[in-house]
Amino acid sequence: MLTPRKRIVTIDGPSGGGKSTVSRALAAKLHFTYLDTGAMYRAVAYQCRRVGLAAKESPELAELLASLKMELLPPLVNGDDVRVVVDGADIGHELRTPEMGMLASQFSALPMVRYALTRMQQEIGAGGRIVAEGRDTGTVVFPEAAWKFFLDASAEVRAQRRATQLRSKGENVDKEQLLAQIIKRDQDDRQRSLAPLAAAPDAILLDSTTIPADEVVARMYAHILATSCCRDQ
Ligand code: DC
């Protein structure tokens, strides 16, 4: 039997492929909520580092996950990253460093972390009308999504984009180190046994190496409009 489709868009892909820019813009065009699942993994990694928990399963980690109160709020300034409020504190700005990306990747391989965050994401998406971006949103979190995309780009272009982004925030960037981190993180995300980074079989593949972000958004939007009538919900 075919699974009924939900009005959910998933955009998966490796780090730096332009997912955030594209997902935010597409969500705004569709008047859908934008769900940044990577920010949730980063927030868990941040909290664990703050209280001194290593990236391995433990009763303390289970307790932290069970008591975690996390809210994702729209940015105060259009185009900014979502605000991530954990236990009442906005920690969004602490999460966007390459180091926090690496740490989030390590925590994201742990079954208890994936289980807790997948459930939270499914609750947020239960009503539909969201654009979810991540690594497994089309394969595991929302297999019933009506529209699935996988956004890729060459590692060099992705490193260049991340460097530009970080420099615009006034940060010092070593491009070679950034490229090495991006390649390592993607390898780890692709090779983990649980919910690895992968395109869903029914995802549309797009490569943003040569296509600008606004064109990627335009193609996704056109596809969604063209197929809206044929989706169940
Ligand atoms: O998208 P991002 O760079 O903020 O993600 C940070 C890390 O979180 C990424 O390297 C792997 C993990 N992640 C995941 O495992 N599954 C997701 N759906 C989103 C992110």
Side-chain angles (χ1 to χ4, degrees):
M1 201 182 81
L2 283 176
T3 327
R5 298 289 188 138
K6 263 202 180 146
R7 295 191 81 75
I8 291 175
V9 182
T10 62
I11 303 182
D12 290 311
S15 50
K19 292 191 307 290
S20 301
T21 310
V22 163
S23 305
R24 257 197 305 254
L26 187 66
K29 251 171 124 59
L30 292 166
H31 303 287
F32 281 15
T33 300
Y34 163 49
L35 176 60
D36 178 358
T37 63
M40 299 172 79
Y41 286 95
R42 285 171 186 256
V44 166
Y46 176 85
Q47 283 300 91
C48 289
R49 194 185 61 176
R50 201 174 63 81
V51 298
L53 286 186
K56 63 178 182 26
E57 302 226 304
S58 65
E60 292 78 15
L61 176 60
E63 207 174 300
L64 182 144
L65 291 166
S67 62
L68 192 68
K69 302 224 170 350
M70 180 172 359
E71 268 184 293
L72 300 183
L73 301 175
L76 294 175
V77 176
N78 251 350
D80 265 8
D81 292 317
V82 290
R83 283 178 297 148
V84 183
V85 178
V86 174
D87 296 334
D90 184 351
I91 57 167
H93 289 297
E94 323 282 343
L95 305 181
R96 313 290 172 182
T97 63
E99 291 67 33
M100 204 47 74
M102 297 298 284
L103 198 60
S105 176
Q106 289 172 27
F107 276 94
S108 73
L110 305 177
M112 60 170 63
V113 173
R114 293 217 77 83
Y115 177 75
L117 293 191
T118 299
R119 265 193 37 202
M120 260 187 227
Q121 291 154 15
Q122 288 171 337
E123 275 169 28
I124 296 170
R129 299 184 65 82
I130 62 160
V131 175
E133 71 145 290
R135 304 293 185 287
D136 63 337
T137 63
T139 49
V140 174
V141 187
F142 301 115
E144 76 284 26
W147 302 283
K148 299 182 186 179
F149 300 96
F150 191 86
L151 191 57
D152 211 342
S154 73
E156 286 71 21
V157 163
R158 291 188 284 120
Q160 178 57 53
R161 285 188 194 145
R162 261 291 140 84
T164 309
Q165 205 178 41
L166 290 169
R167 283 196 187 113
S168 74
K169 293 182 183 168
E171 289 181 35
N172 280 332
V173 177
D174 175 341
K175 237 190 85 186
E176 288 310 305
Q177 192 193 8
L178 201 59
L179 177 62
Q181 281 178 334
I182 277 183
I183 291 171
K184 161 95 174 84
R185 182 142 73 98
D186 290 346
Q187 244 169 25
D188 291 349
D189 290 349
R190 280 181 201 278
Q191 287 170 2
R192 67 177 177 228
S193 51
L194 202 58
L197 163 63
D202 50 348
I204 292 180
L205 309 187
L206 289 165
D207 191 317
S208 76
T209 308
T210 51
I211 317 173
D214 53 356
E215 174 64 24
V216 172
V217 175
R219 288 190 195 184
M220 290 176 171
Y221 186 66
H223 170 72
I224 291 168
L225 287 195
T227 54
S228 267
C229 60
C230 331
R231 300 301 197 246
D232 298 329
Q233 295 186 34

